[in-house]
Amino acid sequence: MIRHFLENGLDARVRIALAVILAVAILVPAANLLVPEGSPFHVPTYLVTLFGKYATYAVLALALDLVWGYCGILSLGHGAFFALGGYAMGMYLMRQIGTRGVYGHPILPDFMVFLNWKELPWYWYGFDHFAFAMLMVVLVPGLVAFVFGWFAFRSRVTGVYLSIITQALTYALLLAFFRNDMGFGGNNGLTDFKDIVGFNVQARGTRAALFFLSCLLVAGGLLLSAAIVNSKLGKVLVAIRDAESRTRFIGYRVATYKAFVFTVSAMLAGLAGALYVPQVGIINPSEFSPANSIEAVIWVAVGGRGTLVGAVVGAVTVNWGKTWFTGVLPSFWLFALGGLFVLVTLFLPKGIVGTWSEWRAKRKTATPADASPAPAE
Amino acid sequence: MTEALAANSLLYLDDVKVSFDGFKALKGLSLTIEPGEMRAIIGPNGAGKTTMMDCITGKTRPDEGEVSFEGGTIDLTKLDEATIAELGIGRKFQKPTVFESHTVEDNLYLALKSDRGPLATLFHRLSGAEAARIDELLATIKLTGRRGDLAKNLSHGQKQWLEIGMLLAQEPKLLLVDEPVAGMTDAETMETAALLREINASGKSVVVVEHDMAFVRELGVKVTVLHEGGVLSEGSIDHVANDPRVIEVYLGR
């Protein structure tokens, strides 16, 4: 059953994308670890980490495309799920510091000692176990998304109103995580990580491994999302996007379907956040800022909404542009981003991948007609 | 008396009242549809036809009155749209609404009677019986040649038929059909009448709301005339056409 389900996701476009992603996953770490530093083919470690960050953004974009592109839920708060997954990973990494913190407390992270806390809050229990932390990475965003989605979708909040309350969700979490007495490090967040499952987070090998895992998550997320959208459930999602009340009148519980896909998407975003944090070395409340979530929407729009592969392409392209731009003309990046969004909306409404596949489809239908000989009379 | 009526009915509406912000859309509407019956409902704009359908399908909750299904055993006023659809009431909208970015085939596939839960659909595989049923439906609605086309590329009339096909795919006991021939050519109108009669002959009850008198005559069934949220007249087409109250409403006083 599961095998058939996953095989369904392997259409031509996904196969090509998976091949490219897996090639990158192997070649980049190889070029970093095996190729000597003087060689033109050497990839410096800072770039490995940077690409790893792009990969986690690509997964966030995939998660967003699943709900926005296929079910019409324009979430402007998906960064919240990414950040929640990141915090769960950050809590694990904090507990791994042990006595190596500035205050050397065996159990309490530095910021708690600094705030004169005497014992670990209950919600930090278990985070010293990697498996438990990984479970929380998916469960916490999943639960938040499910509860939020259940109420919003059951009350039939749609369109702009839903987008606004998703913004409110991430903004509320931003304010909450800023508070010191929440117990998540307040303004500074969680940082100064040392080890991840026994390996030094700064080491070249660990960074290469994290990059590899991030690429694997992109590949896995793409396969899972493609399998979902190609299943009958995926067709129901598109039906909801295009004619919600029709779908209801043929007997589908629209709210349940929306809550399902919203929850799956949030879990995927949580996993992306968990891989993001050890690579950038910090998680703080700014990850909840509404602007981050909106930027993710732009990645998807640029790459091509409702194409999945486009989300990956868009996330990598826009972030590459961001890196380049902030290096050359730092003060103009936001103008460039805004301009990009306007231009894409006006001239490439289907995004890069959407426009590309439309052009190919047109060429395909045009060619046989031209090439075919005149019918014999 | 009313219990006896309800017990023998498929659909039973008794003294249904609905108002929106003071506007009384339905003022004590009563209607009984028997199993296997086809009924035409006519009435001028604002007579309450669409509101009546909304009450039956769970979109609108009546302020007062009874709406029940299957011999009065199921109270429809307590249920949501999806549950009512699963009970066997299919609805075709006035404006044709099909899933535009799905193929004709997929539109029917989604409508086929099956488990509607998310997990069931996630792992669903098209069975041979389902494929055969889709072929059969495509033949009934005369869209076999366009099965692979996107629904948005169909003509207006073809969309109407596709929507009727989707209703049939749900295998409902009762079909509610709102203005099925609006915007159709005369030939298409007659074919649609034949299609609906065929559906009715297969044992399904059908309620058709329509303005087109030629079409209603072609159906040749009992007619209910609605006016200002209540039943004005009921009987054969000739009976209602000669009813002075109907003439007054339709032709002005």
Side-chain angles (χ1 to χ4, degrees), chain A residues 166-192:
Chain A
T166 55
Q167 278 265 279
L169 170 76
T170 194
Y171 192 64
L173 285 168
L174 168 83
L175 295 180
F177 275 76
F178 258 126
R179 290 155 40 91
N180 277 331
D181 43 3
M182 275 284 282
F184 295 109
N187 188 20
N188 299 318
L190 311 174
T191 188
D192 292 332

Side-chain angles (χ1 to χ4, degrees), chain A residues 102-153:
Chain A
V102 178
Y103 298 106
H105 195 288
I107 293 174
L108 294 190
D110 279 348
F111 74 89
M112 290 188 191
V113 180
F114 182 74
L115 291 171
N116 273 324
W117 289 27
K118 294 291 168 241
E119 54 188 45
L120 201 65
W122 61 268
Y123 46 83
W124 274 76
Y125 291 167
F127 275 93
D128 47 336
H129 299 287
F130 184 70
F132 177 82
M134 285 306 99
L135 199 62
M136 290 302 124
V137 158
V138 287
L139 283 188
V140 172
L143 189 70
V144 171
F146 180 76
V147 172
F148 174 87
W150 181 255
F151 285 106
F153 301 136

Side-chain angles (χ1 to χ4, degrees), chain A residues 221-298:
Chain A
L222 182 62
L223 182 59
L224 176 75
S225 307
I228 289 176
V229 305
N230 288 346
S231 71
K232 188 177 181 187
L233 181 133
K235 292 183 199 294
V236 176
L237 295 180
V238 171
I240 292 171
R241 180 191 75 189
D242 290 350
E244 183 168 331
S245 73
R246 186 90 208 90
T247 316
R248 205 172 271 138
F249 281 116
I250 59 175
Y252 292 100
R253 279 183 184 75
V254 168
T256 315
Y257 277 81
K258 283 185 173 178
F260 172 83
V261 71
F262 199 63
T263 306
V264 170
S265 168
M267 288 175 164
L268 197 55
L271 279 170
L275 275 169
Y276 171 83
V277 167
Q279 299 188 77
V280 299
I282 183 168
I283 173 82
N284 63 28
S286 71
E287 294 299 335
F288 285 105
S289 85
N292 282 17
S293 298
I294 292 172
E295 227 173 279
V297 171
I298 299 180

Side-chain angles (χ1 to χ4, degrees), chain A:
Chain A
M1 191 169 77
I2 303 279
R3 187 162 155 231
H4 166 80
F5 164 70
L6 288 176
E7 276 171 1
N8 238 341
L10 281 172
D11 53 34
R13 191 158 62 192
V14 171
R15 276 171 209 265
I16 296 170
L18 287 180
V20 172
I21 294 164
L22 292 178
V24 170
I26 292 164
L27 290 178
V28 170
N32 172 246
L33 297 175
L34 305 178
V35 178
E37 241 165 79
S39 160
F41 295 106
H42 176 77
V43 175
T45 306
Y46 84 91
L47 274 185
V48 175
T49 306
L50 186 68
F51 293 158
K53 198 172 88 169
Y54 293 169
T56 61
Y57 285 155
V59 176
L60 172 61
L62 260 178
L64 186 61
D65 195 24
L66 194 58
V67 291
W68 184 33
Y70 291 89
C71 198
I73 304 167
L74 174 53
S75 168
L76 294 178
H78 245 53
F81 305 123
F82 182 84
L84 285 172
Y87 264 99
M89 178 57 114
M91 287 161 81
Y92 162 75
L93 294 170
M94 287 308 269
R95 295 296 310 271
Q96 295 306 301
I97 297 172
T99 53
R100 286 168 293 175
V102 178
Y103 298 106
H105 195 288
I107 293 174
L108 294 190
D110 279 348
F111 74 89
M112 290 188 191
V113 180
F114 182 74
L115 291 171
N116 273 324
W117 289 27
K118 294 291 168 241
E119 54 188 45
L120 201 65
W122 61 268
Y123 46 83
W124 274 76
Y125 291 167
F127 275 93
D128 47 336
H129 299 287
F130 184 70
F132 177 82
M134 285 306 99
L135 199 62
M136 290 302 124
V137 158
V138 287
L139 283 188
V140 172
L143 189 70
V144 171
F146 180 76
V147 172
F148 174 87
W150 181 255
F151 285 106
F153 301 136
R154 220 182 40 156
S155 323
R156 301 195 182 174
V157 180
T158 53
V160 183
Y161 301 100
L162 187 90
S163 301
I164 291 170
I165 60 169
T166 55
Q167 278 265 279
L169 170 76
T170 194
Y171 192 64
L173 285 168
L174 168 83
L175 295 180
F177 275 76
F178 258 126
R179 290 155 40 91
N180 277 331
D181 43 3
M182 275 284 282
F184 295 109
N187 188 20
N188 299 318
L190 311 174
T191 188
D192 292 332
F193 308 135
K194 307 279 191 248
D195 291 344
I196 180 163
V197 285
F199 298 98
N200 180 355
V201 284
Q202 307 281 352
R204 262 172 78 186
T206 314
R207 300 208 160 233
L210 285 169
F211 171 83
F212 180 75
L213 286 175
S214 303
C215 288
L216 225 50
L217 182 63
V218 179
L222 182 62
L223 182 59
L224 176 75
S225 307
I228 289 176
V229 305
N230 288 346
S231 71
K232 188 177 181 187
L233 181 133
K235 292 183 199 294
V236 176
L237 295 180
V238 171
I240 292 171
R241 180 191 75 189
D242 290 350
E244 183 168 331
S245 73
R246 186 90 208 90
T247 316
R248 205 172 271 138
F249 281 116
I250 59 175
Y252 292 100
R253 279 183 184 75
V254 168
T256 315
Y257 277 81
K258 283 185 173 178
F260 172 83
V261 71
F262 199 63
T263 306
V264 170
S265 168
M267 288 175 164
L268 197 55
L271 279 170
L275 275 169
Y276 171 83
V277 167
Q279 299 188 77
V280 299
I282 183 168
I283 173 82
N284 63 28
S286 71
E287 294 299 335
F288 285 105
S289 85
N292 282 17
S293 298
I294 292 172
E295 227 173 279
V297 171
I298 299 180
W299 307 335
V300 177
V302 168
R305 178 188 165 199
T307 59
L308 295 180
V309 175
V312 176
V313 172
V316 174
T317 314
V318 175
N319 281 295
W320 198 318
K322 182 177 184 172
T323 304
W324 178 80
F325 227 101
T326 45
V328 183
L329 288 166
S331 46
F332 286 98
W333 164 244
L334 281 178
F335 294 101
L337 184 69
L340 182 69
F341 192 47
V342 172
L343 288 178
V344 165
T345 313
L346 285 178
F347 301 109
L348 275 181
K350 293 190 169 49
I352 299 169
V353 171
T355 310
W356 164 254
S357 54
E358 203 173 52
W359 179 77
R360 284 224 359 205
K362 236 182 234 165
R363 229 183 49 156
K364 217 181 233 171
T365 51
T367 325
D370 298 338
S372 64
E377 289 293 318

Side-chain angles (χ1 to χ4, degrees), chain A residues 235 242 246 250 252 257, chain B residues 81 91 97 101-102 110 116:
Chain A
K235 292 183 199 294
D242 290 350
R246 186 90 208 90
I250 59 175
Y252 292 100
Y257 277 81
Chain B
E81 293 101 320
R91 178 177 186 181
T97 34
S101 40
H102 279 313
L110 285 176
R116 299 297 205 223

